[in-house]
Each structure stands twice: as C-alpha cells, then as structure tokens.
Amino acid sequence: MLEIKDLRKTFFPHTPNEKKALRGVNLTLEEGDFVTVIGSNGSGKSTLMNCIAGVFFPDKGSIRINGDDVTRMPEHIRARYIGRVFQDPMKGTAAEMQIAENLAMASRRGKPLSLRWSSSANQIEQFKELLRELDLGLENRLETRIGTLSGGQRQSITLLMATLVRPKLLLLDEHTAALDPKTAEKVLELTQKRVSEGHLTTLMITHNMRDALRFGNRLIMMHEGRVVVDVGGEKKKNLTIQSLLELFEKASGAEFDNPEALLTP
Ligand SMILES: Nc1ncnc2c1ncn2[C@@H]1O[C@H](COP(=O)(O)OP(=O)(O)O)[C@@H](O)[C@H]1O
Ligand SMILES: [Mg+2]
C-alpha cells in the first residue's frame, strides 16, 4: 500500500549545521496496517512523515502509494489522499471559520473547487451525528467559530476532517502530545474508532510507549534516521515496555534516550 525505499534527507548539507535526518528508511505498509512509531527525539520520525505528506522532498529514495510514485508529487495534490493530524491543535482547522464550514471544506477533499461550500441539510445531519459521537457537546454548535474551541475540541475536529473523506493513508504526528491526559485519551479513543471503522492504513507517531503498545497491529522504532525495530502480529501483542527497550538497545546499540516516553501516564 505504502512502499518506502532507501529514503534519505539531509538538512543544511555541506554546512556546519548539517543534519542527516533520514539515512535510508525502508518501510512497507500493508492495506489496513495501523503502525505506531516511536523513537528518540530527533530520530527522524517527523521528517519521515513530512516526506510522505510532501511538506518537503527527500534527497534520495522513493515513496509509492498503491503503486503510484508520489516522491515528488506536490503537497496539495497528495493531500487528496492523505489525511494528517499533527501536534499543534491550532493547525489543521481554520480558526475564523465555523465548525460546519470546516467540516464542509473537508468533505470536499479531492473534488473540484468550483462548487459551493455551503452544506446540504443531509450533510448538516451527518456532521451533527459525527459531532455527537465525539461527546464534546459540539453537535448543536455547528455555527461556532473553531477559534473559540479548546485544543482537544479542535484536535478532535481535525481528526474528523482528516478522515471525513476516507484517506488512502492517515498520518498522525504526536497528535495528542499537546493535550491534557484526559483529553488525550478521548482523542485516542476517537482515533481508534475512526481507524477501525474506516479500515484506515495509519502511521501514528507517539512519544508515549504505552500508547505505542496499546494501539495498532504493528510497531516500528526509529533511531538516527533509520527504522531499527519493526514488530507485528502476535509478537506486537506480547510486547512489554521492558522487552521493547531491550529490542531497541539490541538493534541500535544505544540506550533509549527519550525517558519522557516512559514517564507519561
Ligand atoms: N525543517 C527542518 N529544517 C532543519 N532541520 C530539521 C527540520 N526538520 C527536522 N530537522 C532536523 O532533523 C532531525 C530529525 O528531526 P525530526 O524528524 O523532527 O525528529 P523526531 O520527529 O524524531 O523528533 C533533527 O536533528 C532536526 O533538528
Ligand atoms: Mg517529531
């Protein structure tokens, strides 16, 4: 479904600030894979996701989605089939626009821009139902401006928007990291629900090892710009934090330097 071959990206090449962010990433996702991604700070997780989304291009290597080479496809075209939710709740929704307008915009993803943005009665009902499922009391606030909502509410709506038109691929980059634990849990539950209902192929970066173990059918760990651990199936189900740390240390020859990942509840 997603096929990444020898992906490489260096920032500020040939300068004193040179950063080799990706040093040859190989990764293949099957249709319906829900992969959690964990790794030390600066190991290249976000750079990998940005290359997949087309925020910037890699220096070398290739990215294919359902057989199509998208390596150098412009970001806005790729956005037609990639849903994204990143860490910052302020991004991903338009603050000045109403909830309904944001959802209507998302429902038009991949369709011609010429048609009106206004929503039909049917669509309003659909939006209300989706918002009711969020259980955040937003179902009767369709005309509320997004900018007045809390971070958790905004992030939940971003997630709805990213999955309203079924994406071929869903990319989540620490999308609950900026939320308080209770809200984060709610957004994770919603994530699980949307992913399983839509059978979405998903990559979810998390700084929380427990979440990486709890969610998904497969887990990868990155270190210094490479994928160093890749565990799926029964083996993934039986993983513990301890065994994960051992795997990581064996594969990378380093200690896991993201203690935050262990401390967060
Ligand atoms: N847009 C960018 N410009 C310059 N350097 C970057 C950029 N994005 C990431 N980096 C650098 O690339 C390395 C990997 O970063 P990143 O992919 O954000 O790591 P992670 O998400 O795993 O914490 C880091 O050294 C980071 O400073
Ligand atoms: Mg990151």
Side-chain angles (χ1 to χ4, degrees):
M1 192 279 138
L2 175 70
E3 202 181 345
I4 294 174
K5 285 207 177 128
D6 195 33
L7 211 63
R8 293 170 188 268
K9 177 77 184 175
T10 300
F11 293 106
F12 312 118
H14 316 299
T15 73
N17 293 326
E18 182 174 279
K19 276 271 166 243
K20 289 197 163 106
L22 299 180
R23 299 167 183 245
V25 170
N26 292 290
L27 179 67
T28 302
L29 262 59
E30 303 302 329
E31 186 72 41
D33 260 349
F34 181 178
V35 181
T36 54
V37 184
I38 200 156
S40 346
N41 293 321
S43 59
K45 304 182 297 296
S46 295
T47 304
L48 173 61
M49 235 176 230
N50 285 327
C51 283
I52 298 172
V55 176
F56 42 65
F57 297 152
D59 305 326
K60 220 181 152 259
S62 65
I63 306 169
R64 285 173 177 273
I65 298 179
N66 288 345
D68 297 334
D69 191 331
V70 302
T71 317
R72 280 162 208 287
M73 180 187 277
E75 184 180 12
H76 69 278
I77 296 182
R78 238 179 275 196
R80 286 181 198 155
Y81 43 87
I82 297 181
R84 306 175 0 187
V85 187
F86 292 164
Q87 185 170 343
D88 186 351
M90 299 308 137
K91 294 184 182 147
T93 43
E96 294 305 317
M97 287 165 66
Q98 302 171 357
I99 294 178
E101 290 168 335
N102 272 273
L103 289 171
M105 193 166 60
S107 74
R108 305 212 39 76
R109 187 156 48 121
K111 296 185 187 146
L113 283 173
S114 55
L115 301 178
R116 290 177 307 149
W117 273 8
S118 60
S119 337
S120 65
N122 266 349
Q123 214 178 16
I124 292 291
E125 268 320 300
Q126 185 209 352
F127 294 164
K128 273 194 181 166
E129 189 49 43
L130 284 168
L131 292 167
R132 196 170 293 122
E133 286 173 26
L134 294 187
D135 195 22
L136 294 169
L138 294 176
E139 56 272 22
N140 294 315
R141 293 178 59 191
L142 277 167
E143 286 168 16
T144 300
R145 276 194 321 112
I146 290 274
T148 65
L149 302 180
S150 70
Q153 288 172 325
R154 274 183 86 156
Q155 208 63 333
S156 303
I157 290 177
T158 306
L159 193 56
L160 280 188
M161 290 172 66
T163 54
L164 200 55
V165 173
R166 185 177 182 273
K168 287 191 169 65
L169 183 64
L170 178 63
L171 301 177
L172 308 168
D173 189 350
E174 304 201 16
H175 67 308
T176 61
L179 308 175
D180 67 82
K182 218 174 131 193
T183 314
E185 188 57 34
K186 259 193 155 168
V187 174
L188 282 170
E189 277 168 25
L190 174 68
T191 306
Q192 177 67 65
K193 189 158 176 280
R194 298 296 290 174
V195 168
S196 29
E197 283 173 359
H199 306 288
L200 304 178
T201 309
T202 304
L203 269 175
M204 179 172 97
I205 300 177
T206 171
H207 66 288
N208 184 315
M209 279 209 194
R210 282 186 192 85
D211 292 342
L213 294 174
R214 258 190 323 144
F215 294 98
N217 63 309
R218 188 171 157 199
L219 178 153
I220 64 173
M221 244 178 158
M222 288 189 66
H223 181 63
E224 293 181 346
R226 290 189 189 95
V227 175
V228 295
V229 173
D230 187 341
V231 195
E234 284 304 307
K235 211 173 157 206
K236 154 89 165 61
K237 281 185 198 154
N238 296 327
L239 272 183
T240 60
I241 288 186
Q242 193 52 43
S243 61
L244 191 54
L245 284 174
E246 282 166 14
L247 272 180
F248 175 76
E249 281 168 22
K250 225 164 94 189
S252 67
E255 285 197 14
F256 193 67
D257 66 353
N258 190 1
E260 192 195 347
L262 292 171
L263 297 175
T264 12

